[in-house]
Amino acid sequence: MLWAGGARLGDMDKVCQQHGVACVTGTNPDTGVVGLSTHGGAGYLSRQYGLAADNFVAAEVVTASGAIVHATPANEHKDLLWAVAGGGSNFGVITALTMKAHPMDHVYGGLVINVAPTVAMATRVVRTWRDWMPTQPRTVSVMCVLPCGAPVVPMAVVESDQALVPQAAGAKASLSCSPALQQAFGSGCGAFGACVSVKMLGRKQYHTELQPQLEAMQAEGHHYMSSVNVPHLTDTMVDALVAAARIDHPGGGEIILFSLTGAVADAKVESVAYAGAGRGKSTVWIVIIGSWKPDADGANRAKTKAWVQRVKEEMKALGGAESAHPLEGNMDADQGGLVQQVWSSNELRLREIKAKYDPDNFFKCNRNIKPTAAAYPVHS
């Protein structure tokens, strides 16, 4: 399906629903399709079908010279299509993306609030989720959240197997329709080691009920965000993240943990430009969000920004890598030397493609890839 520049995920959902399909996308209907997708793009269907960038069929790009280029896997601009699938806005203005669409109607899922009042219990919940998630069927996705200062570990849950979830109009479904979710959330005890789990799960229409379920929690406000990919979420990382969210936090925000396993890990690093910490079998994408209320001297923002940056740097020191996403906290970082972290072994090919389509580096307000030239030496 073709998506024009300016389309948002909510627009995508409305159109896809009419055709009984879905494209891999994010979880906030207000997010732009092109911006999210060309920097990777992960959502509820990623373990099943890969990242948004893994699903590109064609792209229309206006280059720095003013040329309108149509890139497909089979034409002379196939390298450009490869590059925008993770390389973002480095090569031109992307005015349209054509993406694969997958059959999708009703799913089973929703939210689970795991009550974990102590640091030790929250740590156990996250570690158990970490070990469980990569072993599950690819149609199962569970996103884990650490809200600042709250005694809970919420999870966004979905089973998207269209054969397991009843699809007939008016059909009923229970947790037992998904053996994986039944195992994780079906007991009377708390899930993943929580003392109790409040389960708000049911059969949902994917586009109109599941996709917008987090919208109320993603309200407009003052936020500062950054992200990092970790090839494996170690115990030390979990300890640090729980401590940051429970003990040493700015008062508002959350840390989101998204498992980039299943189909995401199937793709070879060189398949598209997106590298994502090497596409390992247990990679986790960590999004750190700080929120604050404005004050006269800007102290609240400064405190929040410092917290986000500290958590990110701690994850990097423990083995994490920069992500391609142009979140404010990523763009504030010193961009020198980050290209190799973000794109790994794809760096040289990206710089060669940049030299072909944007030799003067006109498009540089991004996580910048510099063209191969004497003035722009390749990272060593």
Side-chain angles (χ1 to χ4, degrees):
M1 300 185 78
L2 186 148
W3 307 105
R8 299 185 182 186
L9 305 192
D11 303 321
M12 172 186 275
D13 286 326
K14 290 176 184 177
V15 174
C16 283
Q17 184 192 7
Q18 298 172 18
H19 301 279
V21 297
C23 295
V24 178
T25 183
T27 60
N28 185 338
D30 196 46
T31 304
V33 173
V34 171
L36 174 75
S37 302
T38 56
H39 292 92
Y44 295 119
L45 302 182
S46 290
R47 294 193 71 248
Q48 187 174 5
Y49 295 118
L51 298 170
D54 296 324
N55 284 268
F56 289 3
V57 175
E60 182 182 83
V61 184
V62 180
T63 68
S65 69
I68 300 175
V69 175
H70 184 68
T72 76
N75 70 11
E76 67 272 27
H77 300 294
K78 61 184 179 182
D79 277 353
L80 181 59
L81 180 64
W82 177 89
V84 300
S89 59
N90 271 282
F91 307 93
V93 178
I94 301 166
T95 53
L97 278 177
T98 303
M99 301 171 66
K100 296 176 185 176
H102 308 279
M104 194 62 53
D105 190 0
H106 285 88
V107 299
Y108 189 88
L111 300 175
V112 174
I113 309 300
N114 300 299
V115 180
T118 67
V119 167
M121 188 173 289
T123 300
R124 181 167 67 245
V125 169
V126 176
R127 288 182 181 179
T128 307
W129 165 84
R130 171 202 64 192
D131 296 338
W132 176 85
M133 192 69 258
T135 68
Q136 299 310 301
R138 290 157 183 241
T139 55
V140 171
S141 179
V142 177
M143 181 173 63
C144 184
V145 183
L146 291 167
C148 287
V152 294
V153 183
M155 293 179 176
V157 177
V158 64
E159 167 65 81
S160 57
D161 190 322
Q162 300 294 277
L164 290 180
V165 181
Q167 298 297 313
K172 304 294 183 181
S174 66
L175 191 59
S176 61
C177 74
S178 169
L181 296 187
Q182 174 72 32
Q183 177 201 27
F185 302 106
S187 73
C189 302
F192 301 111
C195 64
V196 67
S197 295
V198 180
K199 289 164 277 194
M200 296 171 279
L201 302 172
R203 177 178 177 265
K204 298 180 184 295
Q205 207 292 318
Y206 175 80
H207 306 92
T208 61
E209 295 178 297
L210 184 80
Q211 275 289 94
Q213 73 173 349
L214 301 178
E215 203 165 12
M217 295 165 243
Q218 298 169 328
E220 292 183 3
H222 297 270
H223 310 290
Y224 184 86
M225 296 180 282
S226 194
S227 64
V228 62
N229 291 320
V230 299
H232 178 68
L233 190 65
T234 66
D235 285 351
T236 304
M237 289 177 177
V238 173
D239 293 347
L241 292 171
V242 173
R246 288 293 182 92
I247 301 169
D248 184 19
H249 60 82
E254 60 270 340
I255 299 171
I256 301 172
L257 308 176
F258 205 101
S259 179
L260 298 181
T261 55
V264 179
D266 284 347
K268 295 181 179 180
V269 171
E270 65 273 16
S271 61
V272 296
Y274 179 91
R279 297 268 192 166
K281 298 298 182 184
S282 56
T283 300
V284 173
W285 179 34
I286 303 172
V287 182
I288 310 142
I289 305 174
S291 305
W292 74 93
K293 293 183 179 179
D295 56 335
D297 60 3
N300 289 346
R301 183 184 189 278
K303 178 182 178 182
T304 300
K305 179 177 177 179
W307 175 79
V308 171
Q309 292 177 335
R310 178 180 61 76
V311 175
K312 177 181 179 178
E313 290 305 314
E314 192 166 4
M315 291 300 103
K316 288 173 61 180
L318 292 171
E322 291 280 343
S323 77
H325 297 80
L327 301 172
E328 182 183 10
N330 289 349
M331 296 304 294
D332 276 352
D334 178 6
Q335 299 298 301
L338 295 185
V339 173
Q340 203 278 332
Q341 280 193 48
V342 175
W343 290 286
S344 186
S345 55
N346 292 333
E347 176 194 0
L348 179 57
R349 184 178 176 189
L350 281 164
R351 287 187 158 178
E352 290 171 343
I353 296 168
K354 176 79 167 180
K356 178 179 178 181
Y357 290 96
D358 185 19
D360 298 320
N361 200 22
F362 179 79
F363 296 104
K364 57 187 176 184
C365 294
N366 45 37
R367 307 225 78 182
N368 194 231
I369 299 166
K370 294 181 173 63
T372 50
Y376 301 110
V378 175
H379 176 77
S380 58

